[in-house]
Amino acid sequence: MKRAFITGVTGQDGSYLAELLLEKGYEVHGLVRRISTVNNPNIERIKNDLILHNGDLTDSAAISNCLASIQPDEVYNLAAQSHVKLSFEMPIATAEIDGIGPLRILEAIRSVKLNCKFYQASTSEMFGTNINVPQNETTPFHPGSPYGVAKLYAHWIVANYRSSYNMFASTGILYNHESPRRGEMFVTRKITKAFANILRGKQDCVELGNLDSLRDWGHAKDYVEAMWLILQHHEPDDFVIATGEQITIREFCNLVANYFGVELTWEETGLNEVARDKNGKVWVRVNEKYYRPVDVVNLLGDPTKAKSLLNWKPKYNLASLVAEMCEEDFKCVGI
């Protein structure tokens, strides 16, 4: 039986990956931070099948001890401070967790002399303000946030350990991927939850930032399957994981509204832009406080390499993703 070790196991990606690996017959270990609350809804269904270990990416000793005791075949680093706007408010903590954290894992693997495969969750935010569209594995990086910069350090340190120590260390450069388990700070979940709340009479409207930002959105279930496939490949490498399609945040709002049977009309421009329904009720407003200091506006991935070498392709389209998120949020806010 293969053993896997997942950091960030209680998050969106970590929980879906744990479910996938359990289905494949793995023994799954997860790293969890010791906090005052023990409520981890994402892994509630599988908690009795997981082996959890206390620790976090700032604690080198905890990481080394875990790896030495588990002796995993595969290590997936999914733990991160992953909110881009928050990284401007917490740049040092973001660098410590997202940049140096992966280095601690790599160094632990090397010092413990583990014969395992390592996966690092890289991000499309590393491309940042690069004007080349679409982006692939050879597109130059130009991160536009402390989050993107920290992730880029981790991306390159993986490449360095791969070449310096002959380690099986790979990365997936993942574009935006969502699900009902997405944190409510992230724009897609913020929209689906807000629209459900508005319909339930629990919220007046939702305030958003730059409605013209273009993103390539997929389902987290498809993307964790890509992570697994990356470590099954015969050699370590870097792969862009994306759908190859993009829409604006405004268009995402329209998809959510359409699911709920609401037709939005957009009025004005810039900070004065609003979306109204047929009765004149405002559902969406723009608020300048949700703009980022540097706004990355055009991310579109080219997943040709992953499709060709890994035989990976998304099973979900954007419409089915939106429907799943809307259905779950409408059910939850009604409780």
Side-chain angles (χ1 to χ4, degrees):
M1 176 185 291
K2 282 188 176 181
R3 292 191 188 97
F5 179 59
I6 304 172
T7 70
V9 72
T10 62
Q12 170 188 256
D13 291 7
S15 59
Y16 280 127
L17 178 61
E19 291 175 0
L20 176 69
L21 296 180
L22 286 170
E23 290 171 2
K24 293 183 178 296
Y26 281 65
E27 178 180 289
V28 179
H29 297 252
L31 187 71
V32 294
R33 286 180 296 147
R34 183 76 175 181
I35 54 178
S36 58
T37 176
V38 294
N39 183 31
N40 292 310
N42 288 341
I43 60 170
E44 181 64 28
R45 187 177 70 83
I46 58 171
K47 65 180 181 181
N48 294 330
D49 299 318
L50 298 175
I51 304 169
L52 299 179
H53 306 261
N54 291 317
D56 63 51
L57 294 192
T58 64
D59 190 338
S60 298
I63 294 169
S64 292
N65 290 339
C66 279
L67 292 174
S69 64
I70 298 166
Q71 294 287 310
D73 299 287
E74 297 172 4
V75 175
Y76 297 85
N77 180 40
L78 309 185
Q81 189 302 99
S82 57
H83 195 272
V84 175
K85 189 173 188 300
L86 188 59
S87 75
F88 286 98
E89 301 168 23
M90 302 171 54
I92 296 173
T94 300
E96 182 71 29
I97 297 165
D98 297 7
I100 305 302
L103 172 60
R104 291 189 178 98
I105 299 174
L106 288 166
E107 187 59 14
I109 291 172
R110 188 182 73 83
S111 60
V112 175
K113 296 181 172 57
L114 285 180
N115 181 24
C116 69
K117 297 180 178 180
F118 174 76
Y119 170 85
Q120 166 63 16
S122 291
T123 171
S124 60
E125 290 289 336
M126 299 186 309
F127 294 119
T129 56
N130 190 304
I131 62 173
N132 296 294
V133 179
Q135 301 91 30
N136 61 27
E137 293 81 4
T138 64
T139 302
F141 297 116
H142 199 280
S145 66
Y147 169 71
V149 172
K151 281 289 194 176
L152 184 54
Y153 174 85
H155 182 81
W156 281 123
I157 203 67
V158 169
N160 179 260
Y161 269 62
R162 182 167 63 210
S163 59
S164 299
Y165 303 115
N166 196 31
M167 292 175 63
F168 195 113
S170 296
T171 69
I173 306 173
L174 272 59
Y175 280 65
N176 294 64
H177 46 288
E178 320 298 318
S179 76
R181 300 180 190 176
R182 188 61 144 151
E184 293 177 21
M185 292 178 66
F186 294 88
V187 68
T188 52
R189 184 77 194 289
K190 181 179 179 180
I191 294 167
T192 58
K193 183 79 177 288
F195 277 36
N197 273 326
I198 294 168
L199 285 168
R200 295 285 193 183
K202 296 183 176 183
Q203 186 171 336
D204 181 45
C205 71
V206 61
E207 294 184 340
L208 302 173
N210 186 357
L211 298 172
D212 292 314
S213 290
L214 286 158
R215 290 294 184 271
D216 181 330
W217 276 302
H219 198 300
K221 285 185 178 180
D222 285 329
Y223 287 45
V224 301
E225 182 182 26
M227 297 175 192
W228 178 76
L229 287 170
I230 286 171
L231 291 197
Q232 310 318 304
H233 192 51
H234 64 274
E235 61 182 6
D237 207 342
D238 307 311
F239 294 90
V240 163
I241 306 300
T243 69
E245 300 177 0
Q246 66 178 180
I247 62 170
T248 64
I249 292 173
R250 185 185 297 102
E251 290 170 319
F252 190 90
C253 287
N254 286 334
L255 286 174
V256 175
N258 290 341
Y259 176 85
F260 286 125
V262 177
E263 184 175 349
L264 295 179
T265 300
W266 297 86
E267 303 173 355
E268 304 296 335
T269 59
L271 295 177
N272 297 317
E273 187 170 5
V274 296
R276 301 180 188 272
D277 63 19
K278 63 181 181 181
N279 298 316
K281 175 180 172 50
V282 173
W283 285 63
V284 181
R285 294 186 186 277
V286 175
N287 190 325
E288 189 174 12
K289 76 177 183 179
Y290 296 116
Y291 277 71
R292 300 170 184 172
V294 176
D295 208 5
V296 175
V297 298
N298 196 350
L299 291 176
L300 176 64
D302 175 5
T304 300
K305 180 178 176 181
K307 289 183 175 181
S308 174
L309 297 185
L310 304 178
N311 196 29
W312 174 84
K313 64 179 180 180
K315 298 181 178 69
Y316 290 82
N317 58 32
L318 188 55
S320 62
L321 168 62
V322 167
E324 185 179 337
M325 294 177 69
C326 290
E327 181 180 357
E328 185 65 22
D329 275 332
F330 190 67
K331 179 175 65 177
C332 289
V333 301
I335 297 173

